[in-house]
Short mmCIF file of all heavy atoms in Angstrom, two decimals:
data_model
loop_
_atom_site.label_atom_id
_atom_site.label_comp_id
_atom_site.label_asym_id
_atom_site.label_seq_id
_atom_site.Cartn_x
_atom_site.Cartn_y
_atom_site.Cartn_z
N GLU K 81 -11.10 57.34 -102.45
CA GLU K 81 -12.06 57.35 -101.35
C GLU K 81 -11.44 56.57 -100.20
O GLU K 81 -10.89 55.49 -100.40
CB GLU K 81 -13.37 56.70 -101.80
CG GLU K 81 -14.38 56.53 -100.68
CD GLU K 81 -15.64 55.84 -101.16
OE1 GLU K 81 -16.52 56.53 -101.68
OE2 GLU K 81 -15.71 54.62 -101.00
N THR K 82 -11.54 57.11 -98.99
CA THR K 82 -10.98 56.46 -97.80
C THR K 82 -12.09 56.27 -96.77
O THR K 82 -12.88 57.18 -96.53
CB THR K 82 -9.86 57.31 -97.19
OG1 THR K 82 -8.89 57.60 -98.21
CG2 THR K 82 -9.18 56.59 -96.05
N VAL K 83 -12.12 55.07 -96.17
CA VAL K 83 -13.14 54.75 -95.17
C VAL K 83 -12.46 54.27 -93.89
O VAL K 83 -11.58 53.41 -93.92
CB VAL K 83 -14.09 53.63 -95.68
CG1 VAL K 83 -15.15 53.31 -94.63
CG2 VAL K 83 -14.74 54.03 -96.98
N PHE K 84 -12.87 54.86 -92.77
CA PHE K 84 -12.45 54.42 -91.44
C PHE K 84 -13.66 53.82 -90.76
O PHE K 84 -14.74 54.42 -90.77
CB PHE K 84 -11.93 55.60 -90.61
CG PHE K 84 -10.74 56.28 -91.21
CD1 PHE K 84 -10.91 57.39 -92.02
CD2 PHE K 84 -9.47 55.81 -90.97
CE1 PHE K 84 -9.81 58.03 -92.58
CE2 PHE K 84 -8.37 56.44 -91.53
CZ PHE K 84 -8.54 57.54 -92.34
N GLU K 85 -13.51 52.65 -90.15
CA GLU K 85 -14.65 51.96 -89.54
C GLU K 85 -14.29 51.49 -88.13
O GLU K 85 -13.22 50.95 -87.89
CB GLU K 85 -15.06 50.76 -90.39
CG GLU K 85 -16.23 49.99 -89.81
CD GLU K 85 -16.70 48.88 -90.72
OE1 GLU K 85 -16.07 48.61 -91.76
OE2 GLU K 85 -17.71 48.26 -90.39
N LEU K 86 -15.22 51.71 -87.21
CA LEU K 86 -15.09 51.22 -85.83
C LEU K 86 -16.29 50.34 -85.54
O LEU K 86 -17.44 50.74 -85.78
CB LEU K 86 -15.04 52.39 -84.84
CG LEU K 86 -14.84 52.03 -83.38
CD1 LEU K 86 -13.50 51.32 -83.17
CD2 LEU K 86 -14.90 53.28 -82.52
N TYR K 87 -16.03 49.13 -85.05
CA TYR K 87 -17.06 48.10 -84.89
C TYR K 87 -16.94 47.50 -83.50
O TYR K 87 -15.83 47.29 -82.99
CB TYR K 87 -16.80 47.02 -85.96
CG TYR K 87 -17.55 45.74 -85.78
CD1 TYR K 87 -18.84 45.60 -86.26
CD2 TYR K 87 -16.97 44.65 -85.14
CE1 TYR K 87 -19.54 44.42 -86.11
CE2 TYR K 87 -17.66 43.46 -84.99
CZ TYR K 87 -18.94 43.35 -85.48
OH TYR K 87 -19.62 42.18 -85.33
N TYR K 88 -18.08 47.24 -82.88
CA TYR K 88 -18.09 46.56 -81.59
C TYR K 88 -19.22 45.54 -81.60
O TYR K 88 -20.35 45.87 -81.98
CB TYR K 88 -18.30 47.56 -80.45
CG TYR K 88 -18.15 46.94 -79.08
CD1 TYR K 88 -16.89 46.63 -78.59
CD2 TYR K 88 -19.25 46.64 -78.31
CE1 TYR K 88 -16.73 46.05 -77.34
CE2 TYR K 88 -19.11 46.06 -77.06
CZ TYR K 88 -17.85 45.77 -76.58
OH TYR K 88 -17.70 45.20 -75.35
N ALA K 89 -18.94 44.32 -81.21
CA ALA K 89 -19.97 43.28 -81.11
C ALA K 89 -20.11 42.90 -79.64
O ALA K 89 -19.16 42.42 -79.02
CB ALA K 89 -19.59 42.06 -81.94
N CYS K 90 -21.29 43.13 -79.11
CA CYS K 90 -21.57 42.87 -77.70
C CYS K 90 -22.42 41.60 -77.59
O CYS K 90 -23.56 41.56 -78.05
CB CYS K 90 -22.31 44.06 -77.11
SG CYS K 90 -22.74 43.86 -75.38
N GLN K 91 -21.85 40.57 -76.97
CA GLN K 91 -22.56 39.30 -76.76
C GLN K 91 -23.47 39.48 -75.55
O GLN K 91 -23.05 39.37 -74.41
CB GLN K 91 -21.55 38.17 -76.52
CG GLN K 91 -22.17 36.81 -76.36
CD GLN K 91 -22.44 36.16 -77.70
OE1 GLN K 91 -21.60 36.21 -78.59
NE2 GLN K 91 -23.58 35.56 -77.83
N VAL K 92 -24.75 39.77 -75.80
CA VAL K 92 -25.71 40.04 -74.74
C VAL K 92 -26.15 38.74 -74.07
O VAL K 92 -26.20 38.64 -72.84
CB VAL K 92 -26.93 40.81 -75.29
CG1 VAL K 92 -27.94 41.07 -74.19
CG2 VAL K 92 -26.49 42.10 -75.95
N THR K 93 -26.50 37.75 -74.87
CA THR K 93 -26.87 36.42 -74.39
C THR K 93 -26.19 35.42 -75.33
O THR K 93 -25.64 35.81 -76.35
CB THR K 93 -28.40 36.20 -74.42
OG1 THR K 93 -28.82 36.17 -75.78
CG2 THR K 93 -29.15 37.27 -73.66
N PRO K 94 -26.24 34.12 -75.04
CA PRO K 94 -25.65 33.16 -75.96
C PRO K 94 -26.29 33.19 -77.37
O PRO K 94 -25.67 32.76 -78.33
CB PRO K 94 -25.91 31.81 -75.29
CG PRO K 94 -26.00 32.12 -73.84
CD PRO K 94 -26.65 33.48 -73.78
N TRP K 95 -27.49 33.74 -77.50
CA TRP K 95 -28.18 33.76 -78.79
C TRP K 95 -28.36 35.16 -79.38
O TRP K 95 -28.90 35.32 -80.47
CB TRP K 95 -29.53 33.07 -78.67
CG TRP K 95 -30.38 33.60 -77.56
CD1 TRP K 95 -30.43 33.13 -76.27
CD2 TRP K 95 -31.30 34.69 -77.61
NE1 TRP K 95 -31.29 33.88 -75.52
CE2 TRP K 95 -31.86 34.85 -76.32
CE3 TRP K 95 -31.69 35.56 -78.60
CZ2 TRP K 95 -32.78 35.84 -76.01
CZ3 TRP K 95 -32.63 36.55 -78.31
CH2 TRP K 95 -33.16 36.66 -77.02
N LEU K 96 -27.89 36.22 -78.67
CA LEU K 96 -28.10 37.59 -79.15
C LEU K 96 -26.79 38.39 -79.10
O LEU K 96 -26.14 38.48 -78.07
CB LEU K 96 -29.15 38.31 -78.30
CG LEU K 96 -29.41 39.78 -78.62
CD1 LEU K 96 -29.95 39.95 -80.03
CD2 LEU K 96 -30.34 40.39 -77.60
N VAL K 97 -26.45 38.98 -80.26
CA VAL K 97 -25.29 39.88 -80.37
C VAL K 97 -25.78 41.21 -80.93
O VAL K 97 -26.49 41.24 -81.93
CB VAL K 97 -24.20 39.29 -81.30
CG1 VAL K 97 -23.04 40.27 -81.44
CG2 VAL K 97 -23.72 37.95 -80.78
N ILE K 98 -25.41 42.30 -80.26
CA ILE K 98 -25.72 43.64 -80.74
C ILE K 98 -24.42 44.27 -81.21
O ILE K 98 -23.42 44.25 -80.49
CB ILE K 98 -26.37 44.49 -79.63
CG1 ILE K 98 -27.69 43.86 -79.20
CG2 ILE K 98 -26.57 45.93 -80.11
CD1 ILE K 98 -28.36 44.58 -78.05
N SER K 99 -24.45 44.84 -82.43
CA SER K 99 -23.22 45.36 -83.03
C SER K 99 -23.41 46.78 -83.55
O SER K 99 -23.90 46.98 -84.65
CB SER K 99 -22.79 44.48 -84.20
OG SER K 99 -22.61 43.16 -83.80
N PRO K 100 -23.00 47.78 -82.78
CA PRO K 100 -22.96 49.12 -83.34
C PRO K 100 -21.74 49.26 -84.24
O PRO K 100 -20.70 48.63 -84.01
CB PRO K 100 -22.86 50.03 -82.11
CG PRO K 100 -22.32 49.17 -81.03
CD PRO K 100 -22.68 47.75 -81.36
N ASP K 101 -21.87 50.08 -85.27
CA ASP K 101 -20.81 50.25 -86.25
C ASP K 101 -20.85 51.69 -86.74
O ASP K 101 -21.93 52.21 -87.05
CB ASP K 101 -21.05 49.28 -87.41
CG ASP K 101 -20.00 49.38 -88.49
OD1 ASP K 101 -19.00 48.68 -88.36
OD2 ASP K 101 -20.19 50.16 -89.44
N VAL K 102 -19.71 52.36 -86.78
CA VAL K 102 -19.65 53.72 -87.32
C VAL K 102 -18.56 53.78 -88.38
O VAL K 102 -17.53 53.11 -88.27
CB VAL K 102 -19.40 54.79 -86.23
CG1 VAL K 102 -20.59 54.91 -85.30
CG2 VAL K 102 -18.14 54.51 -85.45
N GLN K 103 -18.82 54.57 -89.41
CA GLN K 103 -17.86 54.74 -90.51
C GLN K 103 -17.73 56.22 -90.86
O GLN K 103 -18.72 56.95 -90.84
CB GLN K 103 -18.32 54.00 -91.76
CG GLN K 103 -18.45 52.52 -91.60
CD GLN K 103 -19.00 51.85 -92.84
OE1 GLN K 103 -19.13 52.46 -93.90
NE2 GLN K 103 -19.36 50.58 -92.72
N LEU K 104 -16.52 56.62 -91.17
CA LEU K 104 -16.26 57.95 -91.71
C LEU K 104 -15.73 57.75 -93.12
O LEU K 104 -14.72 57.07 -93.31
CB LEU K 104 -15.24 58.69 -90.85
CG LEU K 104 -14.79 60.05 -91.38
CD1 LEU K 104 -15.97 61.01 -91.47
CD2 LEU K 104 -13.69 60.62 -90.52
N VAL K 105 -16.42 58.32 -94.10
CA VAL K 105 -16.03 58.18 -95.50
C VAL K 105 -15.50 59.52 -95.98
O VAL K 105 -16.23 60.51 -96.03
CB VAL K 105 -17.23 57.74 -96.38
CG1 VAL K 105 -16.78 57.54 -97.81
CG2 VAL K 105 -17.88 56.49 -95.82
N LEU K 106 -14.22 59.54 -96.32
CA LEU K 106 -13.59 60.75 -96.83
C LEU K 106 -13.65 60.73 -98.35
O LEU K 106 -13.32 59.72 -98.98
CB LEU K 106 -12.13 60.83 -96.38
CG LEU K 106 -11.89 60.75 -94.87
CD1 LEU K 106 -10.40 60.82 -94.58
CD2 LEU K 106 -12.63 61.85 -94.14
N ASP K 107 -14.09 61.82 -98.94
CA ASP K 107 -14.22 61.96 -100.39
C ASP K 107 -15.10 60.86 -101.00
O ASP K 107 -14.66 60.06 -101.82
CB ASP K 107 -12.85 61.96 -101.07
CG ASP K 107 -11.95 63.07 -100.55
OD1 ASP K 107 -12.49 64.13 -100.21
OD2 ASP K 107 -10.73 62.87 -100.48
N PRO K 108 -16.38 60.79 -100.58
CA PRO K 108 -17.28 59.75 -101.11
C PRO K 108 -17.33 59.77 -102.64
O PRO K 108 -17.36 60.84 -103.25
CB PRO K 108 -18.65 60.13 -100.53
CG PRO K 108 -18.37 61.02 -99.38
CD PRO K 108 -17.07 61.70 -99.68
N GLY K 109 -17.32 58.59 -103.21
CA GLY K 109 -17.33 58.48 -104.66
C GLY K 109 -16.02 58.87 -105.31
O GLY K 109 -15.94 59.02 -106.52
N ALA K 110 -15.00 59.09 -104.48
CA ALA K 110 -13.65 59.44 -104.92
C ALA K 110 -13.55 60.87 -105.45
O ALA K 110 -12.59 61.23 -106.10
CB ALA K 110 -13.13 58.45 -105.96
#
Side-chain angles (χ1 to χ4, degrees):
E81 174 181 275
T82 306
V83 180
F84 299 94
E85 180 175 5
L86 183 62
Y87 167 85
Y88 187 75
C90 179
Q91 183 84 44
V92 179
T93 67
W95 53 269
L96 176 63
V97 177
I98 298 176
S99 303
D101 180 89
V102 293
Q103 298 176 10
L104 175 62
V105 183
L106 304 179
D107 302 327

